[in-house]
């Protein structure tokens, strides 16, 4: 500590660094806060207009403070798009994909990282390629297949597709994590007479649980935000997801500005709440993804 | 314990079956379709490479890839540069002088647009930029004329780029801030003693130290820029007059609006080739700079 302070004061004399001076740091803070406010402006405008009455909006424009606090826009939107049902669809689809995707990634990565099966480099490379392929290059055959199997416009079709797509990334990440799994733990488990299956669930899973939970959250939120394949596969209220609900009203001239804003607000609320709850895990997770 | 490695193959079985059904077979089928003419009904008719030769002479196809370059600027170049400046400022100045709480709160703010479904972001911005939307209301308030930002071919692409910058900015900020925590503070101290100023230290220490993260960000964001679909769908549907069309929207349009399945499949294949080529190029470059 002392050396640090010493160094600092010495440097300050030699080299008057502008960030170290009293007022300069406030200027920097002001600039960064201003940038942050610019990022927030669209949200603020949305909030202001989501609670207006249509008459208030058409009379005073989008920038005026609401005259009264109205929930009509939210109600209209909720009823028009059957939002409750779409929330359930999103939760069912994203939840299933998160769990199934992590299990599939884990099984693959167990064989690749711990089992070190022959040709694993090539297999991992294949998973990486699968992760790169744009969904456009898969969508039409998937659409035809779903139609002929009777899975078109079903939540199951989207769950199957995204379980596989997400686990391509999960396999890649987990295989490299499990590649460094401590040998001693595996040997100890084997000495205790544990088979591979038991070792996987009793030894490997508890050790890599933090990575698994990050993957679970990632898969959930990524699937929640997916748009392209759900747009193609899901066509009615019984199957569509939250992002599709908002998109389905777009271009519909019946939807007025206040309903649009109310719709945008309740569509982004679940993800924002989710983000706030898991903020620590998520930011740590983004880091995990980066250092992979 | 004495059993060989063969037993581990069983664990790959579910994954192998699932990947064959959902990725390998559809990808192969798409390749086949790209060599046919098909409206989606009846049987595809084999036409060889006709779709590909047609692509090379299709102006919209080239426009879509030019617009992809614009998306790379908006989703990779600008966010990475701004993200670098913001994260260094948050870490060096805000974090040290105003406390880590302030820094992480600001970081969360920048990350916020990254959390929402990108289509929701697109629809929100689509409304803001509408002729009767909030942007024009601001313009009117400060005495500027009305403008149809997304309807004018001249301003549509810059506006889409602006939205994408807004969406992307938080990603590099979060990753760079984590990267900066990794850098050994002794390096900075040594440089400070040598009398190096902030910018010099940034250039000589920070940038080389966080190179791995920079590679990850530029690679993942470039792939995302090549694949971008949702925002285009929500903001402009590729219009006006193809001014903002991108390969993925072009393929979607061919598949499901024009019912030119073979042609759409060819566009999708071309896009796949570009993505794979760009990724391999990136990884080669990374390998070279690291060795």
């Amino acid at each position: 500590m002392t050396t640090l302070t010493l160094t600092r004061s010495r440097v300050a004399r030699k080299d008057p660094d502008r960030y170290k001076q009293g007022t300069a740091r406030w200027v920097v803070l002001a600039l960064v806060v201003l940038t942050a406010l610019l990022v927030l402006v669209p949200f603020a405008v949305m909030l202001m207009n989501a609670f207006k009455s249509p008459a208030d909006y058409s009379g005073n424009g989008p920038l005026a403070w609401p005259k009264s606090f109205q929930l009509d826009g939210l109600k209209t939107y909720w009823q028009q798009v059957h939002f409750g049902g779409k929330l359930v669809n999103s939760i069912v689809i994203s939840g299933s994909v998160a769990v199934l995707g992590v299990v599939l990634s884990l099984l693959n990565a167990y064989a690749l990282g711990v089992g070190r099966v022959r040709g694993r480099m090539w297999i991992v490379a294949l998973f990486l390629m699968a992760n790169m392929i744009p969904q456009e290059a898969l969508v039409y055959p998937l659409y035809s297949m779903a139609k002929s199997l009777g899975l078109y416009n079903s939540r199951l079709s989207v769950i199957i597709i995204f379980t596989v797509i997400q686990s391509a990334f999960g396999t890649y990440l987990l295989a490299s994590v499990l590649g460094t799994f401590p040998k001693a733990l595996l040997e100890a488990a084997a000495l205790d007479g544990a088979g591979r299956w038991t070792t996987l669930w009793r030894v490997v899973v508890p050790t890599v649980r933090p990575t698994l939970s990050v993957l679970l959250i990632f898969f959930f939120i990524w699937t929640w935000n997916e748009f392209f394949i759900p747009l193609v596969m899901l066509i009615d209220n019984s199957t569509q997801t939250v992002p599709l609900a908002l998109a389905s009203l777009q271009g519909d001239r019946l939807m007025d500005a206040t309903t649009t804003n109310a719709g945008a607000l309740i569509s982004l609320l679940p993800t924002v709440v989710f983000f706030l709850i898991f903020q620590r895990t998520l930011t740590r997770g983004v880091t995990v993804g980066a250092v992979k | 314990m004495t059993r060989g490695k063969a037993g581990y193959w069983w664990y790959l079985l579910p994954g192998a079956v699932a990947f064959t059904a959902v990725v390998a077979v559809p990808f192969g089928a798409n390749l086949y379709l790209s060599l046919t003419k098909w409206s989606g009904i009846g049987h595809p008719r084999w036409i060889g490479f006709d779709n590909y030769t047609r692509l090379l002479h299709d102006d919209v196809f080239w426009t879509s890839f030019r617009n992809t370059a614009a998306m790379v600027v908006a989703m990779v170049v600008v966010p990475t540069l701004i993200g670098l400046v913001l994260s260094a400022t948050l870490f060096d100045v805000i974090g040290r002088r105003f406390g880590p709480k302030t820094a992480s709160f600001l970081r969360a703010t920048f990350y916020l647009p990254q959390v929402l479904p990108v289509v929701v972001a697109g629809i929100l911005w689509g409304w803001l930029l509408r002729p009767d939307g909030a942007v024009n209301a601001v313009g009117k308030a400060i005495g500027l004329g009305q403008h149809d930002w997304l309807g004018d071919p001249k301003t549509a692409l810059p506006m889409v780029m602006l939205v994408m910058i807004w969406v992307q900015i938080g990603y590099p900020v979060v990753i760079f801030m984590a990267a900066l925590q990794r850098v050994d503070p002794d390096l900075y101290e040594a440089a400070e003693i040598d009398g190096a100023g902030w910018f010099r230290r940034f250039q000589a220490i920070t940038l080389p130290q966080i190179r791995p993260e920079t590679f990850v960000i530029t690679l993942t964001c470039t792939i995302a820029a090549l694949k971008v679909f949702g925002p285009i769908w929500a903001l402009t549907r590729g219009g006006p007059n193809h001014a903002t069309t991108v390969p993925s929207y072009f393929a979607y349009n061919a598949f499901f609006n024009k019912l030119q399945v073979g042609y759409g499949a060819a566009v999708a294949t071309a896009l796949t080739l570009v993505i794979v080529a760009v990724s391999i190029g990136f990884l080669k470059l990374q390998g070279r700079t690291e060795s």
Side-chain angles (χ1 to χ4, degrees), chain A:
Chain A
M1 252 343 263
T2 11
T3 38
L4 254 178
T5 357
L6 270 176
T7 331
R8 246 185 225 137
S9 55
R10 202 194 310 152
V11 171
R13 239 184 297 119
K14 203 169 13 169
D15 168 43
D17 195 322
R18 60 198 175 98
Y19 291 105
K20 301 232 156 119
Q21 258 138 47
T23 50
R25 65 184 177 140
W26 290 102
V27 175
V28 174
L29 180 72
L31 282 175
V32 176
V33 168
L34 194 72
T35 320
L37 285 177
L38 275 177
V39 171
L40 289 178
V41 163
F43 294 109
V45 177
M46 174 195 69
L47 273 176
M48 250 165 62
N49 290 291
F51 299 109
K52 273 180 193 169
S53 71
D56 185 7
Y57 177 84
S58 52
N60 303 310
L63 297 179
W65 199 252
K67 293 273 171 294
S68 61
F69 186 78
Q70 297 280 340
L71 292 173
D72 292 7
L74 290 169
K75 272 186 212 144
T76 316
Y77 179 76
W78 191 287
Q79 285 160 358
Q80 236 176 358
V81 303
H82 302 270
F83 193 79
K86 299 201 165 162
L87 206 56
V88 171
N89 290 337
S90 273
I91 293 170
V92 168
I93 291 174
S94 308
S96 313
V97 170
V99 173
L100 295 173
V102 168
V103 171
L104 195 61
S105 311
L106 183 67
L107 293 178
N108 289 337
Y110 188 50
L112 296 167
V114 173
R116 304 197 155 263
V117 294
R118 210 175 306 150
R120 62 180 177 281
M121 291 301 283
W122 288 104
I123 301 174
V124 171
L126 266 178
F127 279 109
L128 197 58
M129 290 282 277
N131 200 36
M132 275 190 245
I133 295 175
Q135 294 175 0
E136 288 76 13
L138 307 173
V139 75
Y140 208 91
L142 287 173
Y143 166 80
S144 307
M145 282 159 77
K147 277 205 159 164
S148 60
L149 292 172
L151 288 174
Y152 180 60
N153 193 29
S154 75
R155 296 182 293 198
L156 182 61
S157 64
V158 177
I159 291 173
I160 295 173
I161 293 170
F162 284 117
T163 296
V164 177
I165 290 181
Q166 311 292 28
S167 71
F169 173 79
T171 301
Y172 168 62
L173 181 72
L174 270 181
S176 69
V177 171
L178 291 186
T180 60
F181 195 83
K183 279 273 173 301
L185 280 179
L186 296 172
E187 278 158 16
L191 280 178
D192 286 347
R196 291 196 182 101
W197 185 250
T198 321
T199 311
L200 171 61
W201 295 104
R202 294 277 172 79
V203 181
V204 176
V205 169
T207 317
V208 295
R209 182 163 288 147
T211 316
L212 295 183
S213 60
V214 167
L215 270 186
L216 197 77
I217 295 169
F218 264 24
F219 289 177
F220 188 90
I221 213 153
W222 287 346
T223 310
W224 187 285
N225 290 349
E226 275 292 342
F227 181 66
F228 181 65
I229 283 181
L231 176 73
V232 172
M233 290 286 178
L234 310 174
I235 50 164
D236 68 32
N237 282 333
S238 66
T239 54
Q240 285 188 330
T241 56
V242 168
L244 284 178
L246 188 66
S248 71
L249 279 192
Q250 202 229 12
D252 187 349
R253 288 289 152 201
L254 289 171
M255 192 163 75
D256 54 291
T258 51
T259 317
T260 309
N261 282 291
L265 175 63
I266 41 178
S267 303
L268 61 82
L269 262 176
T271 43
V272 173
V273 169
F274 198 79
F275 170 65
L276 291 177
I277 297 173
F278 291 104
Q279 200 210 347
R280 269 161 191 273
T281 329
L282 264 180
T283 41
R284 206 192 317 144
V286 178
T287 324
V288 170
V291 183
K292 72 193 168 195

Side-chain angles (χ1 to χ4, degrees), chain B residues 18-41:
Chain B
F19 271 85
T20 310
V22 175
V23 179
V25 168
F27 186 70
N30 186 74
L31 267 181
Y32 163 72
L33 286 177
S34 76
L35 302 170
T36 66
K37 189 176 167 65
W38 191 34
S39 68
I41 305 155

Side-chain angles (χ1 to χ4, degrees), chain B residues 42-112:
Chain B
H43 291 285
R45 189 163 56 81
W46 180 267
I47 54 165
F49 284 92
D50 284 7
N51 284 324
Y52 292 95
T53 39
R54 194 176 134 203
L55 267 188
L56 296 177
H57 299 286
D58 188 337
D59 286 342
V60 180
F61 175 71
W62 292 110
T63 312
S64 75
F65 272 99
R66 256 201 309 281
N67 290 340
T68 297
M71 289 302 119
V72 170
V73 172
M75 293 174 68
V76 188
V77 181
V78 178
T80 307
L81 292 177
I82 299 182
L84 207 52
V85 173
L86 276 177
S87 54
T89 317
L90 283 178
F91 185 79
D92 262 359
V93 186
I94 312 287
R96 297 223 174 107
R97 309 279 140 169
F98 297 92
K101 280 236 166 96
T102 321
S104 63
F105 178 79
L106 285 165
R107 179 184 64 182
T109 309
F110 291 120
Y111 196 69
L112 195 57

